[in-house]
C-alpha cells in the first residue's frame, strides 16, 4: 500500500443553525491537497523517505447549516522510488498532483475519515454526508 500512515492535526465542525429545516439538505465533500513535500518516517528497519501530503477535507451543507474541516498529513510512498523527485518537482513548478497519488490519497482519506465524520454528524444532529440505507414497507 502506498500510504504508510496519517496524522490528523485539526478537526473543526461548527453548526450554524439551531434547527435544521425540513426538506432537502445537500452535503458536499471536498478533499483537497494543500501541499506536497519530502517526508520521512522512522521504522524498526530504518528511515523510509516518501512524500508528505498535507490535506484538507471540507464538508459543506446547502442550506448552510454547518461546516466541517479536517486537516492533516499522509506519508505516501510512490510505487517506484525514483518517482518521488519527479512528483515533487512537478508540484513545485506547476502545483499539479500526480493522478495516481491523488487517487490513492483520496481513497485512503475516504476510508479513514468518513466513519469519524458519521459519528460527529450523529452527535451534532446533522444530516449524514453519505446516504444511509433505509428499509421501506412494500404494499402488494
Amino acid at each position: 500500500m502506498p500510504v504508510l500512515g496519517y496524522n490528523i492535526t485539526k478537526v473543526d465542525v461548527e453548526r450554524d443553525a439551531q434547527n435544521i429545516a425540513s426538506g432537502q439538505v445537500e452535503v458536499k465533500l471536498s478533499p483537497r491537497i494543500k501541499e506536497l513535500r519530502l517526508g520521512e518516517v522512522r521504522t524498526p528497519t530504518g528511515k523510509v523517505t516518501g512524500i508528505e501530503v498535507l490535506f484538507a477535507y471540507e464538508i459543506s451543507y446547502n442550506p448552510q447549516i454547518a461546516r466541517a474541516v479536517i486537516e492533516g498529513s499522509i506519508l505516501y510512498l510512490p510505487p517506484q522510488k525514483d518517482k518521488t523527485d519527479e512528483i515533487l518537482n512537478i508540484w513545485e513548478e506547476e502545483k499539479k498532483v500526480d493522478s495516481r497519488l491523488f487517487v490513492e490519497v483520496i481513497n485512503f482519506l475516504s476510508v479513514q475519515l468518513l466513519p469519524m465524520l458519521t459519528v460527529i454528524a450523529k452527535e451534532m444532529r446533522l444530516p449524514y454526508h453519505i446516504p444511509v440505507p433505509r428499509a421501506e414497507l412494500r404494499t402488494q
Side-chain angles (χ1 to χ4, degrees):
M1 176 180 252
V3 176
L4 269 189
Y6 72 104
N7 184 29
I8 295 175
T9 57
K10 177 182 177 181
V11 177
D12 183 20
V13 182
E14 185 175 355
R15 184 175 170 156
D16 294 336
Q18 291 299 323
N19 295 323
I20 297 173
S22 61
Q24 185 80 10
V25 176
E26 191 176 304
V27 182
K28 183 178 177 186
L29 303 172
S30 303
R32 186 169 51 92
I33 293 178
K34 294 170 43 174
E35 182 74 35
L36 296 180
R37 60 186 181 202
L38 191 62
E40 70 179 24
V41 65
R42 290 187 174 91
T43 64
T45 58
K47 291 182 186 177
V48 176
T49 304
I51 299 172
E52 186 177 13
V53 180
L54 303 179
F55 67 86
Y57 204 96
E58 299 174 359
I59 299 94
S60 58
Y61 295 83
N62 187 17
Q64 190 172 350
I65 56 172
R67 63 183 164 277
V69 176
I70 297 176
E71 294 181 359
S73 62
I74 290 176
L75 185 65
Y76 174 82
L77 297 177
Q80 295 125 0
K81 291 190 180 223
D82 58 334
K83 287 277 196 180
T84 301
D85 290 335
E86 180 183 327
I87 292 170
L88 290 173
N89 287 338
I90 290 172
W91 173 259
E92 287 296 321
E93 294 168 4
E94 304 172 27
K95 296 295 183 202
K96 289 188 180 179
V97 179
D98 179 67
S99 57
R100 184 176 184 140
L101 177 144
F102 185 76
V103 168
E104 291 287 342
V105 166
I106 298 307
N107 287 340
F108 181 82
L109 287 175
S110 296
V111 168
Q112 297 298 319
L113 299 181
L114 292 180
M116 180 176 64
L117 289 170
T118 302
V119 171
I120 292 171
K122 177 182 172 251
E123 293 299 323
M124 295 186 73
R125 293 185 173 84
L126 294 169
Y128 292 123
H129 50 280
I130 54 175
V132 178
R134 296 195 180 267
E136 292 183 10
L137 181 62
R138 291 188 191 175
T139 57
Q140 302 225 8

